Amino acid sequence: MSPLQLCLLLSSLLFCVGLVAAMARSNAILVLLGVELMLNAANINFIAFWRYGPNPEAGTGVLFVLFSIAVAAAEAAVGLALVIAVYRHQKTIRLASINRLKG
Amino acid sequence: MHLPVSLVWLIPALPLLAAGIAALAPRSCRTLAAGAAIAAMIAAFVISCLALHTALADPGAKLVANFEWFDVGAGAMRLGWLLDPLTAFMCVMVTFVASLIFIFSTGYMKADANFKQFFCFLSLFAAAMLGILVANSLLLLFICWELVGLASYLLIGFWFHKPSAAAAAKKAFITTRIGDLGLLLGLLWLADSTGSLLFYDGGNGVLEVAALGSLASQVTVGGLAVSTAIGLLIFCGAVGKSGQFPLHVWLPDAMEGPTPVSALIHAATMVAAGVFLIARVYPLMSADLALPLVPLHALTVVAFIGAITALLGATIAVAQNDIKRVLAFSTVSQLGYMMLALGVGSWVAAIFHLLTHAFFKALLFLGAGSVIHAAHHEQDIRRLGGLRGRMRITFATFAIGMMALSGVPFLFSGFWSKEAILHAAHGWQVSHLPFGAALVAVVLTAFYMTRLVAETFFGTARTEETEHAHENSAVMTVPLILLAVGAVALGFLGTPAFPWLQARLLGEPEVHGHPLFESAGLMMLSIVLVAVGLGAGWAIYGRRPRVALDAVDPLAKAAPGVIAALGNRLGFDELYAATLGRLVTAGATVADFFDRYVWGGAVTMLARLGEFAGVVNRENDESAINGGFNVVSESFRDSGRAYSRAQSGEPQSYLRFIATGFVVLMLLVILGGGR
């Protein structure tokens, strides 16, 4: 297998791990962790396609991923703030019991 | 056997590995966590000894191994490892003292439920500290520096269920962060003006002649040389980490952590990091000394801050009643001594005192831990007393530490290192005030240590718990004995007649007949001062030991106002709360006002406008359009009811739909031939 395929395999595995965490965990913080994992799987794809792509000299891949990490940090801050806000109201962060938006 | 410099990273990596093992192990694996931590520390000690052997083969050389971390665009970010006698001596000391503290902790923390986490944090702490020591890049040093801050936060707040411990951890973290901001600014400025952060890089490093020359020749605000300004910013970091005035307030509060943590933080690692940092960047700090016209030399500031801290810490320690707080303020004072030595130009004396202080202060803290453990967590010296006969080993080793700290002549290491500092301060050309402050602190140090020992170990047991105290097991006493041996023996590495350590650190041949002999009068003076301190302490506290629990302290009887002020730590905490705390609160109030009334007002006004439009609309709706739509909306309601069953309100069920759809799409793409 070529290195690119290995990278993609790694990122798909990471993505699946993240997806399962996001779907199956009941703790909101752990779900956020899963989301971060999926995001980082996408980052690995960026780096892999950049590194093994047609134009690895330009710093585009690294820069894109740096931006993406910065955005992810901001997103994690918002997510954790939401979790804290929910906790203050509901006294729980179990997703199963946070369903006041149900139709 | 020599250690190649490219393997120096093993020294911090081993404890880090142990921290990882402890972090991943289940909570019940107590022996595994403690065993991994202790084994890694001892292995790191062995490697450090090899490194010392390598470094001493050619003391003047700076062995470096640089590597690229990552590259961005045309440039690359480079880090590296450095091995010289300074690194090697510090590594040996840190690993040795930390090993003993780890072993002691297995006894002290035996009953704690979070035993495993404790060893994880301890290993992380030691790894970060060793990382600081072997870093050849200010950036790498800064990363480890922040890791030390994090680990200290975790350790000081280890008993976080106590509100005071949680507050102390927060205070330590935030206070040191103020200093770290200065360090970060200095780091950025340095990177900007030299283009590199490596200390030594074959002529291109920031501590080498070319970079120093260009830094010292540029002038910035107020006529300061750029090297002075950067040096002062880096010194800010050291002020925070090493508990120097005015950022010393976190250090006494850090006593809320378990006692082995206090020993680790106050003896071998965290507070030593600041002194080590200044010694490491000493070429940068002293680059402006050759310039006669600059308004301020960086080292002058260091010397004065050090002298103020030495005197302040020693003064406040006189009136503290908590056995650990006395030691904490004594640490503040001793760190002031080290900074003073750095400032007056003798970084070798500072490192010598750092090494000896690490041993006897670790000894004193572990001794205090032994007392506290035996007396069922009683820390107030007024409630202890009479432990001399009950805890003989602890008493003997504690007394050795106390005499080393007080500077009892000739036999104890603290005497020689303190003497070297006093001698350096005496020979400083700029001012004699720091020397005077250091002399006063010598008397006070001897005095408060005598008081501490007299109150704790002499007289009669004053509470039930103290009555039943007995000596601890060997796992706690053996480290005490080893440290006591070190507290005595280490002095012989650097006596004036045998300046082995100094010569190795400087990378120069030994000069026998150190100038210390030429000023024997100074040595006599300091011996007399120590005797005065010890005598006064014994006369006031030792001859007539405290009998009743609530008997008033003899000094407090003589000068109640002064002692009360000192006992309150001269009100620094209150001062900061009244000034900085107020400032922050005022800022928050202003921001709150803007938020609530200005922005909030604008938003409310828009909302009112919308509301008004809504009222108009409603009137229109209800009277004119409603009727026709009622029928339609009924059918919408029905279909909505049907769909709402899918809206369970659980985000994860939506996620499952998305994932299923994703998989179906993928299958379509793959089975459809990828087009």
Side-chain angles (χ1 to χ4, degrees), chain B residues 616-638:
Chain B
V616 172
N617 265 334
R618 189 184 66 193
E619 290 303 318
N620 185 25
D621 267 13
E622 283 184 350
S623 50
I625 316 175
N626 240 0
F629 281 101
N630 269 352
V631 182
V632 185
S633 62
E634 191 58 42
S635 71
F636 279 151
R637 204 173 294 148
D638 287 343

Side-chain angles (χ1 to χ4, degrees), chain B residues 319-320 555-556 559-571:
Chain B
Q320 298 297 319
L555 273 190
V562 179
I563 293 299
L566 288 176
N568 200 21
R569 311 182 213 162
L570 291 176

Side-chain angles (χ1 to χ4, degrees), chain A residues 15 19 21-26 31 95-96 98-99 101-103, chain B residues 71-73 644-645 647-652 654-656 659 662:
Chain A
F15 186 87
L19 186 61
M23 287 201 302
R25 303 304 301 232
S26 61
V31 171
L95 286 177
I98 308 171
N99 54 2
L101 285 182
K102 125 172 119 180
Chain B
D71 48 1
V72 170
S644 79
R645 278 187 209 110
Q647 301 282 341
S648 60
E650 289 169 20
Q652 283 173 318
Y654 306 156
L655 193 57
R656 251 170 260 147
F662 177 70

